[in-house]
Amino acid sequence: MAKIDGATLMARSLKQQGVEYMFGIVGFPVGPIAVAAQRAGIKYLGMRNEQSASYAAQAVGYLTGRPGACLVVSGPGVVHGLAGLANAQQNCWPMILIGGASPTYQNGMGAFQEERQVLIATPFCKFAHAVEHVHRIPFYVEMAVRNSIYGRPGACYLDMPDDIILGEVEEEKVHQAATVADPPRSQAMPVDVDKALNVLESAERPLVIVGKGMGWSRAEDEVRAFIERTQLPFLASPMGKGVMDDNHPLSVGAARSHALQEADVIFLMGSRLNWIMHFGLPPRFNKKVRIVQLDISPEAISQNVAAEVALVGDGKAIVGQLNKALESRQWFYPKDTPWHAAIAEKSAANAKQIQPMIDDNSAPTNYYRAFKDISAWLPDNAVIIGEGANTMDIGRTQMPNKNARLRLDAGTYGTMGIGMGFTIAAAVAHPDRPIVAVFGDAAIGFSGMEIETACRYNLPVKIIVLNNGGIGGGIEEFPEDRSQLPPRVMAIGSGYEKIMDAFGGRGWYVDDPKDLRQALNEAMAYPGPALVNVKLHHAAGRKPQQFNWHTA
Ligand code: ADP
Ligand code: MG
């Protein structure tokens, strides 16, 4: 009778469940799982740090609709992987962390890298469990995959002790599991669909907020039909960008603060009123704002601001219902309202405010001048990754997204360190698209060694570092005595492009904006991984903001 080992069964179960990518670092005891995964036809990418591997797994999950797997060694490997679990859970993105564990027969004895892994993973997971019998592996993999993508997506953890990985079972004793279908799409009650439209019709200053829940549910066609049919102005959340084209005439992007502050009815679509949306509270929002909320998670309804209408279910299905219901209505939001005029006026004023920075050709350059060339060069179909404080915030406003799920950034958890993992995930999930990652110099430091990973797999990613020499900027010259350097400061003129050179890619250093476009063109034409390191003025910053980002 044929026998099968735990590693092979794990790999085959993942493959059966549509898990196509595994990111990890091998070592005791998980090496056999990586090898078995490759044999089973899963694309395995060896990373340099488990954090990056865990970020890559969730980005692949969001981009493809099936969770990515992250494979880590016991103890410290799992601890590093927790970073990704927490980030995935906060962003509502699916991933499965598979942690190797010391053998069960050494539990409690002080085994090598022994850790209470299920316990520490649990707060960040929808489902976390140890696999205790080889023959039950398919059961646990099915549980993890289903939990990661059904309902509100999130992270799952499976603990794989050494003796389960190496253990064998007769194939006919294996408990087979059914393949998890794509998430079922649930609709809202028709009465609530009508109520929602009634509330929107009654609005004087309506606003639709499109979040990444709509990206995840692949609702872009329905959302576009809805916006164009109703003519409602919309605002995209940072990663909801692209569900609607940022350059759509109904986008209020450039007048974000004004639109949020003045709207009297907000239709929240797959987005949360958390810190990114200033909790939906004054002074950033109208005190009397009325909320129509669409979310897959009933518990999310009325968080921070009570919703007048709740549309609980799948984004694509429910916006489809709204579109259907609109067929029997005449109403749309008129074009010639004071609200449209005020948004247009505010957008123009904001654009005017940054124009001098865009036009400033002095060297070293500023963010807005750098983004002028970057966005003119950026292909429409690129996946855009942004990481860093100013780099990410300004980049979000200056690099438009035309299509859904093409922007990845620090997200709901505000995580620094996600960038290279996301970049590598995007490159493997979208081999047909250009991958453009714009990092601050502090940001690239968190995961910069993954440049080796990009080079090793010859992923033709285009990395740009906007280098102002520190966290939020550096200093012009180092003092003789370096013992009292300001905490934010990093080495002046760091040659990040040389790291790319070191691993076999190609790098460019740009210290005058007049050379930027040429370097970007060369980087794009280069067939492998490329990095353009752009020196910014050490005090380059954002345009003055009406509110601090964390205004309560
Ligand atoms: P953003 O940061 O873009 O505003 P959030 O992560 O805050 O987005 O919110 C996304 C919301 O989308 C979550 O509350 C989540 O429950 C919801 N969501 C996830 N999947 C779906 C889906 N298929 N349909 C509708 N909403 C969804
Ligand atoms: Mg910096």
Side-chain angles (χ1 to χ4, degrees), residues 152-153 211-213 216-217 237 270-272 294-296 313-315 412:
R152 175 185 270 183
K212 61 184 178 293
W216 164 253
S217 82
S237 76
S271 175
R272 286 170 288 181
L294 186 170
D295 204 290
I296 199 153
D314 175 68
T412 308

Side-chain angles (χ1 to χ4, degrees), residues 200 205-209 259-260 263-268 273 285 289-293:
L200 289 169
R205 297 179 306 282
L207 178 68
V208 179
I209 297 180
L260 291 180
D264 65 344
V265 171
I266 288 181
F267 184 0
L268 198 60
L273 294 178
F285 281 64
V289 67
R290 300 160 67 200
I291 304 283
V292 175
Q293 188 176 357

Side-chain angles (χ1 to χ4, degrees), residues 197-378:
L197 291 176
N198 291 344
V199 171
L200 289 169
E201 277 194 32
S202 73
E204 239 173 78
R205 297 179 306 282
L207 178 68
V208 179
I209 297 180
V210 184
K212 61 184 178 293
M214 305 313 278
W216 164 253
S217 82
R218 285 155 172 75
E220 49 271 22
D221 292 343
E222 287 75 11
V223 174
R224 193 182 326 107
F226 176 80
I227 295 285
E228 290 181 349
R229 166 65 183 78
T230 58
Q231 293 290 307
L232 291 169
F234 71 91
L235 173 73
S237 76
M239 285 195 270
K241 268 163 65 73
V243 171
M244 288 293 297
D245 184 344
D246 277 333
N247 289 324
H248 193 283
L250 288 164
S251 166
V252 307
R256 182 182 195 270
S257 293
H258 180 80
L260 291 180
Q261 227 176 354
E262 300 296 327
D264 65 344
V265 171
I266 288 181
F267 184 0
L268 198 60
M269 277 187 183
S271 175
R272 286 170 288 181
L273 294 178
N274 56 17
W275 66 275
I276 293 180
M277 290 297 164
H278 322 286
F279 313 110
L281 297 175
R284 305 296 305 258
F285 281 64
N286 184 336
K287 199 162 76 196
K288 295 198 197 118
V289 67
R290 300 160 67 200
I291 304 283
V292 175
Q293 188 176 357
L294 186 170
D295 204 290
I296 199 153
S297 164
E299 297 89 335
I301 302 294
S302 294
Q303 175 76 52
N304 297 331
V305 182
E308 188 166 325
V309 186
L311 300 171
V312 176
D314 175 68
K316 186 180 175 76
I318 293 177
V319 182
Q321 279 182 288
L322 288 162
N323 290 339
K324 190 94 192 93
L326 280 163
E327 283 172 13
S328 56
R329 295 193 183 217
Q330 301 299 317
W331 169 83
F332 62 90
Y333 188 69
K335 271 208 162 66
D336 54 348
T337 56
W339 180 227
H340 275 312
I343 288 169
E345 194 182 310
K346 198 73 195 173
S347 294
N350 285 342
K352 203 168 155 207
Q353 204 187 356
I354 59 174
Q355 198 58 47
M357 289 189 276
I358 295 175
D359 293 337
D360 180 354
N361 288 325
S362 56
T365 192
N366 72 76
Y367 287 103
Y368 292 90
R369 172 64 184 85
F371 277 119
K372 173 182 154 181
D373 282 3
I374 294 167
S375 61
W377 156 88
L378 194 63

